[in-house]
Amino acid sequence: MSTVSTTGIITVSNECKACDHCTFICPTGAISGKLGEKHHIELKKCINCGQCLINCPFGAIEDYSMVNEVKAALADPKKLVIVQEAPAVRVALGEEFGLAPGTNVKNKMYAALRKLGFAKVYDTEFAADLTIMEEGTELIHRVFNALGVEGFENSGPLPQFTSCCPAWIKYAEDKYPHVLPHISSAKSPQQMFGPVAKTYLPEKLNINPADIIVVSVMPCTAKKYECDRPEFMSSGFKDVDYVVTTRELAQMIKDAGIDFLNLSDEKADKLI
């Protein structure tokens, strides 16, 4: 496990100007500090949404970085490092290279990820389909329970709420625990992909699952918190090892000297 769960995803750096803007942005009141004094984040209240980070006018709020761990894994010849990317990344990454907001650069992104050294490049769309199927099945079971169908007594109450946002889930856990029985037990697409990659792929590729490193490229800082939750080890290994954000991926591409705009288009790999 990394140090994320104990040190927090979002931190206020020494560059803080104590302007107090972040305290108005934070949706949970996790940021404290008097005007003129460096502010602090209370981990128990923070839902890792990153709103303070993107709204700080001085860039003084930072998120925990796993980039060095990813680079170390890519440099390890004993590891098969695979990557999944969320659909939102493909229409945000281009901005970091001067393209118009919303430009779809998924095919160049796949090429860039391979040039960075990722052995397999997958799209989280597949795992999103798995999540939808699980959530739909669970809803049917809950309906059967509500109708009194025998064998579904433990299927949970109605209505059923679903969210793939770890910040939303943590907010419910912290503020509204009474709704937890109504929240779908299905994992988010990110966390659905991890155990598939560490159970199915080892059989398909004939390798030790301990040698697979799963990296996610996600648009949200809260996904770093999600991947580090201790319950997400259903395969016997950590489902998702590391998460990098869209901006961090862009910086990795730049650091590697990759001419992103002139890359040839490539397609994602297929799990099946």
Side-chain angles (χ1 to χ4, degrees):
M1 297 290 280
S2 71
T3 58
V4 173
S5 59
T6 55
T7 62
I9 295 296
I10 312 295
T11 56
V12 180
S13 74
N14 290 329
E15 299 300 315
C16 175
K17 307 300 182 184
C19 68
D20 217 31
H21 182 62
C22 57
T23 61
F24 294 99
I25 295 296
C26 180
T28 64
I31 304 177
S32 60
K34 296 180 181 178
L35 186 65
E37 297 179 358
K38 178 185 174 183
H39 286 43
H40 301 276
I41 298 176
E42 187 176 342
L43 298 184
K44 290 184 178 180
K45 292 183 179 180
C46 179
I47 57 174
N48 309 293
C49 66
Q51 290 302 304
C52 58
L53 185 155
I54 62 176
N55 283 284
C56 176
F58 302 103
I61 300 179
E62 303 170 343
D63 58 323
Y64 178 87
S65 176
M66 301 180 181
V67 169
N68 287 338
E69 289 92 331
V70 173
K71 289 182 177 179
L74 288 169
D76 187 345
K78 297 180 181 179
K79 300 297 183 182
L80 182 79
V81 187
I82 67 175
V83 63
Q84 62 167 323
E85 54 82 23
V89 177
R90 70 186 63 161
V91 291
L93 183 62
E95 292 183 54
E96 295 290 330
F97 297 93
L99 297 177
T103 302
N104 190 334
V105 296
K106 68 175 182 178
N107 299 114
K108 292 187 183 299
M109 175 183 63
Y110 298 146
L113 289 167
R114 291 194 177 97
K115 282 189 173 294
L116 286 172
F118 290 101
K120 296 288 183 180
V121 179
Y122 297 108
D123 198 306
T124 313
E125 285 179 338
F126 172 77
D129 288 341
L130 296 181
T131 298
I132 291 171
M133 292 171 66
E134 290 295 325
E135 289 174 343
T137 300
E138 184 177 359
L139 176 60
I140 293 172
H141 289 177
R142 287 173 183 254
V143 171
F144 285 168
N145 179 26
L147 294 174
V149 178
E150 186 176 353
F152 294 91
E153 294 82 3
N154 298 319
S155 295
L158 291 174
Q160 174 179 299
F161 302 136
T162 67
S163 177
C164 296
C165 172
W168 188 94
I169 296 297
K170 189 174 187 297
Y171 187 76
E173 290 173 333
D174 293 345
K175 299 289 187 179
Y176 301 99
H178 63 278
V179 307
L180 296 182
H182 294 272
I183 297 177
S184 171
S185 62
K187 295 179 180 181
S188 71
Q190 169 179 270
Q191 297 304 137
M192 194 75 75
F193 177 87
V196 171
K198 294 195 176 183
T199 55
Y200 175 71
L201 270 185
E203 295 180 3
K204 182 179 180 181
L205 303 177
N206 193 29
I207 61 175
N208 188 337
D211 293 331
I212 294 181
I213 300 294
V214 176
V215 178
S216 298
V217 183
M218 294 285 144
C220 175
T221 55
K223 287 295 182 180
K224 296 181 179 183
Y225 159 79
E226 181 183 43
C227 88
D228 211 46
R229 290 186 64 134
E231 65 266 30
F232 290 136
M233 297 185 67
S234 59
S235 66
F237 303 93
K238 192 177 177 186
D239 291 346
V240 174
D241 295 284
Y242 307 116
V243 172
V244 297
T245 62
T246 306
R247 290 185 296 178
E248 287 174 330
L249 173 60
Q251 191 59 53
M252 289 178 67
I253 294 171
K254 294 173 183 177
D255 289 346
I258 297 172
D259 185 0
F260 183 81
L261 295 179
N262 289 312
L263 287 174
S264 297
D265 289 350
E266 295 184 12
K267 294 183 179 180
D269 292 300
K270 294 185 180 296
L271 272 172
I272 300 175

